[in-house]
Amino acid sequence: MGKPLFRGFYKGLSLLLYLLSLPFLLFLVTKPKYRRSIPARFFLFKNPRIKECDVWIHACSLGEVKSLEPLMRELRGERVLLSVITATGLDEAKRLYPWARVTFLPFEPFLGFWAPRCKSLVVVEAELWFSLFESAKKKGAKTMLLNARISDRSYPRYLRFRFFYERLFEWVDELFAQREEDRERLLALGAKEVSVKGNLKLLSTPVPKQLLPRPSKPLIVAASTHEGEEEMILEAVASLSYPFYLAIVPRHPERFDSVWKLLERWSARENRSIIRRSQQSQWWSAEVTLVDSMGELIDLYAIAEGVILGGAFVPVGGHNPLEPAYFGCKILSGIHIHNQFALFENIEGYYLMEPRELLEYLERLPALPRSFVKGEMGPEPLLDAILHYKKEREIDGKSL
């Protein structure tokens, strides 16, 4: 399929999918989780076009937005547009970067006329939207894919659609891969300029917002848990032979109420004390605390003995282990870490297990060695690429 024919086919297919999904989108708008994102992304409600900026950065959600913090610090003097997909990502971006223009990314059919004129487009991780790169490139931007990774699990799927990625990568000037394996896979998919720069999250050193009181008993943090994991964790800790405190931090806020109901049933059955963080200002007044408030996970890592990292005891792909490792927490994780292999490679002292093995590792927790981060990464190569236009101005000025 020729390039013009492919672009026409792709844009037509995107428009058709958009029209067919309209009834479903209108239904999703009624859900609190999508009440802001869907009107902004699919109907451009309160999402006007920004005509021009220096740097346009696109990150999907909360984790990617937070990982940008070291780079965003260095870009504070530039006109930055930061686009996101999720409402939690939008809220965190506005909180962390109030000086930047933050907005939802419109769906593909709108990007041709919505995309601003910019000098650099920086896309984080696997946000491979064809029209995003094409639109920015046509308007004069240098286009970059940052923190690129392709997991073992998803690579066969990428290969099946190699014809698509070959054409997409024609619009990407530079790719920064997390690992050599990612570089080789991107080249196999048709990418041209790929260099290994490590993981963007290694740039960030987490800092607690507040110093929480250190508990008198070992604190275990069940972090970023998903459905099915809380029940497994509660079953394990109910049989622990030593006293403990457990803080459960569900990944998605919309699950707070359902996790609390699970805790109430467990408490009645096991005769254990429980509290909700939102209804109790005093920490460690019960054996188990449901942390149903935002932004306190780093504060808990700073005083935790161990962390049960969610998203890996069920096949979600795992979550970021760097943050607890920075504080020397003993990290217990399930085996489903296919989205986080690159991060785990930068950590020493973590433990992967099946759900049935969790109690055994919790019993050994006090004697286990602490984890630590062994990798490093500097922001300079990434900044040089993003701020290429400043260097070009300097060269032009010297040549005059």
Side-chain angles (χ1 to χ4, degrees):
M1 188 183 291
K3 293 178 186 177
L5 184 60
F6 173 80
R7 290 204 301 272
F9 172 78
Y10 181 81
K11 291 177 187 296
L13 181 62
S14 297
L15 181 59
L16 177 62
L17 289 173
Y18 171 69
L19 294 173
L20 291 174
S21 63
L22 281 175
F24 183 60
L25 292 171
L26 292 171
F27 167 73
L28 285 180
V29 170
T30 63
K31 306 289 183 181
K33 182 178 179 179
Y34 303 107
R35 199 162 288 160
R36 287 184 293 157
S37 60
I38 285 182
R41 295 193 61 225
F42 293 91
F43 302 99
L44 298 185
F45 180 69
K46 294 184 179 179
N47 195 5
R49 178 176 178 263
I50 294 93
K51 292 183 180 179
E52 194 174 9
C53 62
D54 294 322
V55 180
W56 177 9
I57 300 177
H58 175 64
C60 177
S61 56
L62 184 67
E64 291 81 17
V65 166
K66 290 171 69 175
S67 73
L68 287 167
E69 196 165 0
L71 283 180
M72 291 293 282
R73 263 199 312 268
E74 302 297 328
L75 295 173
R76 193 172 180 120
E78 311 301 309
R79 295 176 300 165
V80 176
L81 168 67
L82 177 55
S83 60
V84 298
I85 298 291
T86 67
T88 53
L90 185 89
D91 292 339
E92 185 69 0
K94 287 183 174 181
R95 185 186 73 80
L96 290 174
Y97 321 120
W99 49 271
R101 181 70 181 266
V102 179
T103 187
F104 285 110
L105 180 76
F107 186 52
E108 294 244 79
F110 300 111
L111 286 172
F113 64 85
W114 186 92
R117 184 171 295 279
C118 60
K119 297 162 187 171
S120 295
L121 169 71
V122 182
V123 177
V124 182
E125 294 197 9
E127 287 293 283
L128 297 175
W129 299 97
F130 181 89
S131 297
L132 175 59
F133 288 104
E134 181 203 32
S135 302
K137 188 67 181 169
K138 282 185 172 180
K139 294 185 179 182
K142 177 181 178 180
T143 56
M144 288 160 269
L145 181 63
L146 196 65
N147 223 39
R149 63 177 172 84
I150 299 178
S151 69
D152 295 342
R153 190 175 186 179
S154 60
Y155 185 47
R157 185 169 65 250
Y158 277 89
L159 283 175
R160 284 198 295 272
F161 294 95
R162 186 178 189 275
F163 71 94
F164 166 74
Y165 293 109
E166 279 183 327
R167 287 159 176 78
L168 183 147
F169 286 135
E170 289 173 0
W171 299 98
V172 185
D173 294 316
E174 204 165 355
L175 292 92
F176 299 102
Q178 294 186 18
R179 306 173 298 163
E180 182 60 34
E181 294 94 327
D182 297 314
R183 177 180 177 275
E184 292 171 2
R185 290 169 180 177
L186 288 162
L187 290 171
L189 291 171
K192 300 296 186 288
E193 295 293 325
V194 186
S195 55
V196 178
K197 297 297 182 186
N199 196 295
L200 183 62
K201 291 173 182 174
L202 287 170
L203 290 175
S204 302
T205 301
V207 178
K209 296 175 188 174
Q210 58 178 328
L211 296 177
L212 299 182
R214 192 168 290 276
S216 57
K217 296 178 282 191
L219 170 63
I220 302 166
V221 178
S224 299
T225 54
H226 291 253
E227 186 173 359
E229 292 183 318
E230 295 93 359
E231 193 165 7
M232 172 205 72
I233 292 166
L234 290 170
E235 183 179 342
V237 299
S239 301
L240 266 182
S241 62
Y242 57 84
F244 64 90
Y245 287 115
L246 174 67
I248 297 180
V249 190
R251 177 68 173 180
H252 298 115
E254 61 268 21
R255 296 190 57 244
F256 287 160
D257 288 341
S258 62
V259 175
W260 179 247
K261 289 176 182 176
L262 171 66
L263 272 171
E264 287 181 318
R265 294 194 296 272
W266 177 82
S267 172
R269 186 174 68 248
E270 301 292 338
N271 193 27
R272 303 293 186 104
S273 56
I274 60 172
I275 57 169
R276 285 184 81 142
R277 168 64 176 150
S278 61
Q279 298 172 7
Q280 173 64 258
S281 60
Q282 184 180 353
W283 286 96
W284 323 131
S285 57
E287 289 170 283
V288 180
T289 300
L290 171 62
V291 183
D292 56 348
S293 51
M294 303 297 289
E296 296 193 286
L297 192 53
I298 298 297
D299 301 340
L300 290 166
Y301 287 157
I303 59 171
E305 175 79 11
V307 170
I308 304 170
L309 202 54
F313 292 95
V314 292
V316 170
H319 291 299
N320 180 6
L322 289 175
E323 292 175 340
Y326 273 117
F327 294 99
C329 300
K330 301 162 185 182
I331 299 174
L332 310 183
S333 171
I335 61 172
H336 301 288
I337 59 168
H338 46 270
N339 289 339
Q340 307 295 334
F341 278 135
L343 295 185
F344 275 94
E345 286 179 351
N346 290 285
I347 291 175
E348 201 70 56
Y350 62 87
Y351 307 90
L352 303 183
M353 66 207 67
E354 297 282 356
R356 66 179 181 275
E357 299 175 294
L358 180 59
L359 176 58
E360 175 192 341
Y361 277 89
L362 285 172
E363 286 287 1
R364 294 164 49 200
L365 187 68
L368 292 177
R370 291 189 173 272
S371 61
F372 61 91
V373 178
K374 60 183 180 180
E376 281 188 3
M377 177 179 168
E380 290 76 17
L382 305 178
L383 287 168
D384 285 346
I386 295 169
L387 299 176
H388 64 94
Y389 52 90
K390 287 193 167 183
K391 191 169 288 186
E392 289 163 5
R393 271 203 306 264
E394 288 173 9
I395 294 171
D396 290 343
K398 289 175 184 175
S399 65
L400 290 175

